[in-house]
Amino acid sequence: MERDKQSSQPLSDSELQKHPLSHESEPGKRRFKANPDFILREIAGEAVLIPVGEAGIFENSLISLNDTCSFLWKLFQTPRTAEDVIARAKEEYEDPEGEMEQGIYSFIEDYVKYGLLKEE
């Protein structure tokens, strides 16, 4: 999902604390799960989401995922908090520039917005 240039800039520590998905602003730690109306398949070596139910704006579309998005999608097959996913991603990927948390929050925000993830 594309984001405008302003919102793709790294968030400062104080901005991360205020992020709508941050555990600091949500004491209940919201949990998210992949929408079961989309399934992940590999087609010609590429990971794609295929709509199989109520797909809304994605009806008759394939959604191509890069390796990181595919990894996150697989994690969200079971309900998880953003913090849990961030911890798992840090085990899997290096984050020398410290942008991983912002990227995962943006992934969740965008995928919820478009109905690919659902809040549990």
Side-chain angles (χ1 to χ4, degrees), residues 75-117:
L75 288 178
F76 281 114
Q77 294 307 298
T78 57
R80 296 185 187 274
T81 63
E83 293 76 24
D84 179 42
V85 171
I86 289 166
R88 293 294 209 83
K90 285 183 176 183
E91 292 172 3
E92 185 75 19
Y93 297 99
E94 293 181 17
D95 186 26
E97 297 173 19
E99 297 176 356
M100 186 179 302
E101 284 185 44
Q102 179 201 356
I104 291 172
Y105 286 134
S106 294
F107 172 93
I108 294 170
E109 187 177 320
D110 287 346
Y111 277 51
V112 167
K113 177 182 174 181
Y114 292 107
L116 298 168
L117 288 179

Side-chain angles (χ1 to χ4, degrees), residues 7 9-16 19 98 102 105:
S7 64
Q9 297 299 318
L11 296 175
S12 69
D13 288 341
S14 63
E15 289 172 320
L16 263 178
H19 195 283
Q102 179 201 356
Y105 286 134

Side-chain angles (χ1 to χ4, degrees), residues 33-49:
K33 185 175 191 273
N35 183 339
D37 289 337
F38 296 87
I39 57 171
L40 178 65
R41 292 291 185 258
E42 186 174 318
I43 299 176
E46 186 173 340
V48 294
L49 291 179

